[in-house]
Amino acid sequence: AKQQGQRLLRFFSPEMTQRARERLHLEAELRRAITHDELFLVYQPQVNLTTSKLVGMEALVRWRHPERGLIPPNAFIPLAEESGLVVSLGDWVLRAACRQLRAWLDAGLTPPRTAINISAAQLSEDQFVGRIAEQLRLYVLSPQSIEVELTETCVMVDSERSFQSLAELHALGVHLSIDDFGTGYSSLAYLQQIAVNKLKIDLSFVRDVTTNPNNAAIVRAIIALGKSLDLEIIAEGVESPEQADHLRSLGCDSIQGYLISRPLPADEMAAWLRQWPASSEQ
Ligand code: C2E
Ligand code: CA
Ligand code: CA
Ligand code: CA
C-alpha cells in the first residue's frame, strides 16, 4: 500500500501543482479582469405570463479574456468565491449595472427593475447595504430599480449578520428574490424571518415540467407556497411555449428564458426594450 501510495503521489503530484498553478494564474488574471474592464454585463428580460409585460431583467456577468475569449460565469464565479475575489467582482457588477441603468434612463428608455446576483461572501460584508445605497445615490436611482438575487444557501450562511443586512436592504426599498428556489439545503423558516418579494424556480425543475410529473409537482408546490406567502413567482430557463403554457396553468406569474430572449449585451438590450410591445410595468 505504501508503495502504491508513493506511486500515486508521484503520479498526481506534478499534475496537482500544475492545477494549483493554473488556478493561481487564473486568479491573478481575474483580479486584472476586474480592474481592466474585461468584464461586462448581459441582460435577460423577465415577462409576465398573462400580460406579456416586461416585469424585470437579470444582469449576468461575462468575462472577455484577451487570449481565451469569452468565459462563462460558471468557469470563474466558483474560483472568485473561493478566493474572496467575489467581493470586488460583485462590487464591479453592482456599479456596472447601476451605471447602465442611469445611461438607459438618460437615453429616454424605461428599463425595468434589474436583478443582480449576490454571493454569500458579499452578503456577510459589513458594508454590503452601504455599498448598494452608495451606488444608488451616485447614479440617482430609486431603490426599487434594483433587486438582489440570493440563493437559499446564501441566506442561511452567517445568519445573524445576513438577516440584519437583509432587513436594512428591505428598509431601503430594494427588492429581494430567492434564486434557484428548491435546490438549496435550507429550512423554509427563513421565509418568515426575512422580507422576500420573489421566488425564482430553478431551471432544473422547469426543463421537463411538461413531461416529468415529479418536477411538475415540485413546481406546483413552490407556486402554492409562494402564493400563500404573497410572493411573486418567476420561472427561469423557459425555452418552449409548452413550458410557458404549463407554468401559466400552474399559476406562475412570470418567466425568464430563451423563449423570450437570450441574455443580451447592453446595446442589444436597449434595442429589445425599444421594440418590446408591452412596455414595462413599474
Ligand atoms: P443563475 O443566476 O441561475 O442564472 C441563470 C443561468 O441560466 C444563466 O447562465 C443564463 O444565461 C442561463 N439561462 C437563461 N435562460 C436560459 C434558458 O432558457 N435555457 C438554459 N438552458 N439556460 C438559460 P449564466 O449567465 O451562464 O450564469 C450562470 C450562473 O453564474 C448564474 O446562475 C449565477 O449563479 C452565476 N452568475 C452570473 N452572473 C453573476 C454575477 O454577476 N454575480 C454572481 N455572484 N454570480 C453570477
Ligand atoms: Ca440568478
Ligand atoms: Ca437562477
Ligand atoms: Ca440556476
Side-chain angles (χ1 to χ4, degrees):
K2 191 178 172 208
Q3 216 182 348
Q4 197 185 9
Q6 280 172 341
R7 228 181 13 240
L8 275 176
L9 204 63
R10 241 193 341 257
F11 184 75
F12 279 115
S13 238
E15 193 198 322
M16 300 267 276
T17 21
Q18 172 72 14
R19 274 241 202 109
R21 221 181 289 133
E22 274 173 15
R23 276 181 58 100
L24 272 177
H25 186 58
L26 195 65
E27 201 180 304
E29 288 195 314
L30 185 54
R31 201 179 302 275
R32 180 201 64 197
I34 297 167
T35 51
H36 288 65
D37 267 342
E38 291 173 26
L39 303 178
F40 65 102
L41 295 179
V42 289
Y43 300 85
Q44 190 173 35
Q46 304 173 337
V47 164
N48 182 288
L49 265 172
T50 43
T51 64
S52 291
K53 280 193 175 171
L54 184 65
V55 292
M57 59 184 166
E58 180 177 9
L60 295 154
V61 72
R62 298 287 179 269
W63 180 5
R64 193 180 290 108
H65 190 283
E67 292 108 40
R68 296 188 219 199
L70 209 59
I71 307 182
N74 289 334
F76 64 88
I77 295 286
L79 175 73
E81 284 176 338
E82 287 160 32
S83 62
L85 269 179
V86 80
V87 173
S88 46
L89 185 145
D91 240 14
W92 185 93
V93 168
L94 175 68
R95 275 165 198 279
C98 290
R99 194 193 309 125
Q100 185 60 65
L101 285 176
R102 175 38 60 202
W104 278 331
L105 288 168
D106 287 347
L109 290 165
T110 40
R113 180 178 293 125
T114 301
I116 297 166
N117 292 282
I118 302 292
S119 291
Q122 284 178 272
L123 182 61
S124 336
E125 279 261 306
D126 284 342
Q127 279 311 301
F128 175 64
V129 180
R131 283 177 215 257
I132 292 181
E134 184 193 336
Q135 293 307 308
L136 292 173
R137 223 172 15 246
L138 185 62
Y139 290 104
V140 199
L141 297 169
S142 105
Q144 281 86 0
S145 59
I146 63 166
E147 177 172 283
V148 159
E149 260 187 39
L150 293 164
T151 63
E152 295 157 278
T153 328
C154 176
V155 173
M156 300 307 293
V157 171
D158 186 16
S159 48
E160 206 159 315
R161 172 71 257 179
S162 303
F163 283 9
Q164 173 67 32
S165 289
L166 292 173
E168 286 170 21
L169 206 61
H170 175 70
L172 190 64
V174 173
H175 277 217
L176 171 62
S177 169
I178 305 297
D179 203 358
D180 304 340
F181 189 77
T183 63
Y185 295 97
S186 73
S187 81
L188 294 170
Y190 75 88
L191 287 173
Q192 297 179 299
Q193 287 165 275
I194 63 176
V196 176
N197 300 89
K198 205 176 194 176
L199 298 183
K200 201 164 189 184
I201 303 173
D202 189 56
L203 57 81
S204 64
F205 302 125
V206 170
R207 197 178 293 129
D208 50 2
V209 69
T210 57
T211 53
N212 181 330
N214 292 333
N215 280 356
I218 291 170
V219 169
R220 190 190 302 274
I222 293 174
I223 293 170
L225 173 70
K227 291 269 135 117
S228 71
L229 293 171
D230 209 17
L231 306 177
E232 198 185 323
I233 316 289
I234 184 166
E236 71 174 5
V238 179
E239 298 182 353
S240 73
E242 292 74 25
Q243 289 169 329
D245 288 343
H246 201 90
L247 288 160
R248 190 185 297 109
S249 76
L250 292 176
C252 185
D253 298 311
S254 46
I255 55 168
Q256 178 183 342
Y258 298 163
L259 176 65
I260 306 298
S261 169
R262 289 186 172 264
L264 302 171
D267 54 337
E268 288 176 43
M269 188 63 205
W272 194 96
L273 286 172
R274 287 200 184 86
Q275 60 81 51
W276 186 251
S279 62
S280 101
E281 217 170 46
Q282 282 288 337

